Amino acid sequence: MTARNTIDDPHTGKRVFVTGGAGYIGTHTLVQLLSERHSVCVFDNYSNSSPQSLERVRRLVNHDFDQVEGDIRDEAKLTRVLGEFNPDIVIHFAGLKSVGEANLFPVKYYEHNVQGTIALLKAMDAAKCKRIVFSSSATVYGAAKYLPYDENHPLAPENAYGRTKYHIEGMLGDWVKAGGDASAVLLRYFNPVGAHESGLIGEDPNDVPNNLMPFISQVAIGRRDVLGIFGNDYDTRDGTGERDYIHVVDLAAAHLAAVGYACAHTGCEAINVGTGTGVTVLEMVAAFEKASGRKVAYRVTGRREGDVATSVADATKALRLLGWTARLGIDEMCASTWKWQSKNPQGYVQRGKAA
Ligand code: NAD
Ligand code: UD1
């Protein structure tokens, strides 16, 4: 993918349409987009977020942006709003992301994720917008045939959520091929954790957290009694699962780099976003205890179905194509999560209080 587009400076002053911008990764990316003087329109139905998160973004950066409540499955509204905003590029975060829920309600997941993306591409075609950065996931790889996962690793997702990402990736590849000078960057995130250093924005799961880091931080703050560790008999350093955790601020920076790349090149590229280093569950618990000064009670339970021993990225393609590499480590991940959690024990919804 080397052809140049006509867009002048690919890194500054773009009009960026952000679906799902009120969510965890979206808000962190917004902060950086606005700091770099891009013009932004957020399109979100707040099904897994709160408009308060966007108010926090406004408090953090001295720049305003457009904000529209809407569902990506509402093609008519999407087409109208996107057409009026007339973006240079779309960052597509909107979608549902719970693996367990996707296995129970697969059609709902195909509807939001796949059908929502079809509506988005039709709206982009109508507005003649030919560039997109998409939130994919390392889950598209499935069980490791070798480690670390590079982008040429076979794709064999093992759950319905992963299959929605797999189908969207394929669709975006076809859309780019048909579009001539179109461009798509498929960012395959490994395990996003952490929060903005201000403690103003962070991850705010609706219910009992499915993922490790929010669960640990809710135990540390006293919202939950004990962390269940899903198995200590894996073939890893200490027997617990090993993952490639990526700080959400680094992940946001990868989006900025991807926007620049997509504005300067045509074609479709899948790119891993990880650090290339694995951390086990017990290592994460110890790092969180150090960062928070709190004890994290845990109990080893049985393995969780569908879990693998180790998932680690080969992140060299991101460096080669985007000039991006992760800067923040496990201590910053834990310290920023703790700051967010301790400043906002109940997340964004401080019942009875303003955001
Ligand atoms: P999030 O739930 O915090 O953010 C998603 C946002 O999309 C929310 O604000 C939600 O209200 C919105 N949304 C959902 N369905 C919508 C719809 N039909 N129309 C409009 N808005 C809708 O999740 P996140 O962690 O910020 O993840 C963002 C993207 O990254 C998702 O596509 C997710 O699948 C992907 N991803 C996340 C992770 C992770 O661990 N967080 C890992 C890999 C990939
Ligand atoms: C999960 C998703 C994956 C998604 C990724 C994004 C599943 C099966 N997989 O991956 O599709 O792309 O999130 O972040 O949900 N753990 C515990 N106790 C807990 C929670 C987790 O011990 O309460 C362990 C897990 O076994 C794993 C590690 O912590 O070893 C990380 O788990 P998690 O945060 O859920 O991420 P993944 O399983 O990697």
Side-chain angles (χ1 to χ4, degrees):
M1 170 148 129
T2 48
R4 306 288 297 185
N5 279 344
T6 50
I7 214 149
D8 295 326
D9 181 345
H11 293 281
T12 56
K14 297 291 166 291
R15 297 183 66 74
V16 189
F17 190 82
V18 184
T19 73
Y24 171 47
I25 302 166
T27 45
H28 288 83
T29 305
L30 276 187
V31 167
Q32 295 186 23
L33 285 168
L34 296 164
S35 302
E36 297 206 0
R37 303 286 194 272
H38 295 288
S39 303
V40 173
C41 177
V42 171
F43 191 89
D44 199 304
N45 66 357
Y46 309 121
S47 59
N48 196 38
S49 57
S50 149
Q52 290 176 23
S53 68
L54 296 177
E55 285 312 312
R56 297 279 184 96
V57 170
R58 288 193 174 89
R59 265 164 68 182
L60 262 174
V61 289
N62 228 355
H63 281 275
D64 205 6
F65 54 88
D66 295 342
Q67 167 182 351
V68 177
E69 180 168 357
D71 193 304
I72 52 168
R73 295 166 301 166
D74 183 348
E75 192 183 317
K77 185 166 187 177
L78 192 54
T79 303
R80 181 174 56 73
V81 175
L82 194 134
E84 281 168 10
F85 184 70
N86 193 23
D88 295 307
I89 186 162
V90 172
I91 304 182
H92 181 28
F93 293 109
L96 304 181
K97 63 168 184 177
S98 160
V99 172
E101 191 192 30
N103 285 334
L104 290 174
F105 305 105
V107 176
K108 178 178 167 190
Y109 270 65
Y110 281 93
E111 208 182 309
H112 281 262
N113 295 3
V114 179
Q115 191 188 313
T117 306
I118 291 173
L120 177 63
L121 291 178
K122 287 165 86 176
M124 288 174 68
D125 283 343
K128 301 197 170 14
C129 175
K130 299 188 130 193
R131 302 178 182 89
I132 186 166
V133 174
F134 172 61
S135 300
S136 191
S137 167
T139 198
V140 294
Y141 294 122
K145 300 249 187 284
Y146 57 85
L147 285 169
Y149 291 102
D150 61 28
E151 291 81 356
N152 295 321
H153 187 285
L155 304 183
E158 292 184 334
N159 54 62
Y161 164 71
R163 274 186 287 277
T164 68
K165 295 292 182 188
Y166 170 82
H167 288 300
I168 295 166
E169 283 200 0
M171 189 164 65
L172 288 173
D174 289 335
W175 177 79
V176 164
K177 246 185 244 158
D181 57 349
S183 175
V185 179
L186 319 173
L187 294 179
R188 292 179 180 156
Y189 312 160
F190 276 68
N191 288 64
V193 296
H196 189 268
E197 60 180 4
S198 63
L200 275 178
I201 56 174
E203 187 172 13
D204 184 18
N206 254 342
D207 211 341
V208 182
N210 296 309
N211 297 120
L212 180 66
M213 191 66 136
F215 207 107
I216 288 180
S217 68
Q218 292 193 6
V219 172
I221 200 77
R223 268 176 77 177
R224 312 209 173 268
D225 294 336
V226 61
L227 166 74
I229 293 188
F230 300 149
N232 63 354
D233 55 353
Y234 284 106
D235 183 16
T236 61
R237 288 185 287 288
D238 56 26
T240 63
E242 181 182 11
R243 297 290 183 273
D244 188 335
Y245 296 95
I246 172 81
H247 197 301
V248 68
V249 169
D250 276 335
L251 177 55
H255 287 80
L256 276 276
V259 164
Y261 186 84
C263 287
H265 300 81
T266 57
C268 181
E269 292 287 353
I271 302 180
N272 286 342
V273 189
T275 63
T277 303
V279 172
T280 68
V281 176
L282 284 173
E283 287 166 352
M284 189 61 98
V285 168
F288 203 91
E289 287 183 336
K290 187 173 126 211
S292 64
R294 299 277 180 103
K295 202 82 201 131
V296 176
Y298 66 82
R299 183 182 330 123
V300 177
T301 65
R303 290 184 177 193
R304 177 172 67 182
E305 204 192 318
D307 272 357
V308 295
T310 302
S311 168
V312 181
D314 176 334
T316 51
K317 186 174 177 184
L319 179 60
R320 188 162 42 83
L321 292 196
L322 305 182
W324 173 91
T325 191
R327 292 181 308 105
L328 302 166
I330 179 175
D331 291 337
E332 287 102 341
M333 296 177 201
C334 292
S336 60
T337 302
W338 179 241
K339 187 161 185 187
W340 154 253
Q341 182 72 76
S342 46
K343 281 180 87 159
N344 308 271
Q346 303 298 326
Y348 287 110
V349 186
Q350 305 270 325
R351 284 174 189 80
K353 281 194 247 151

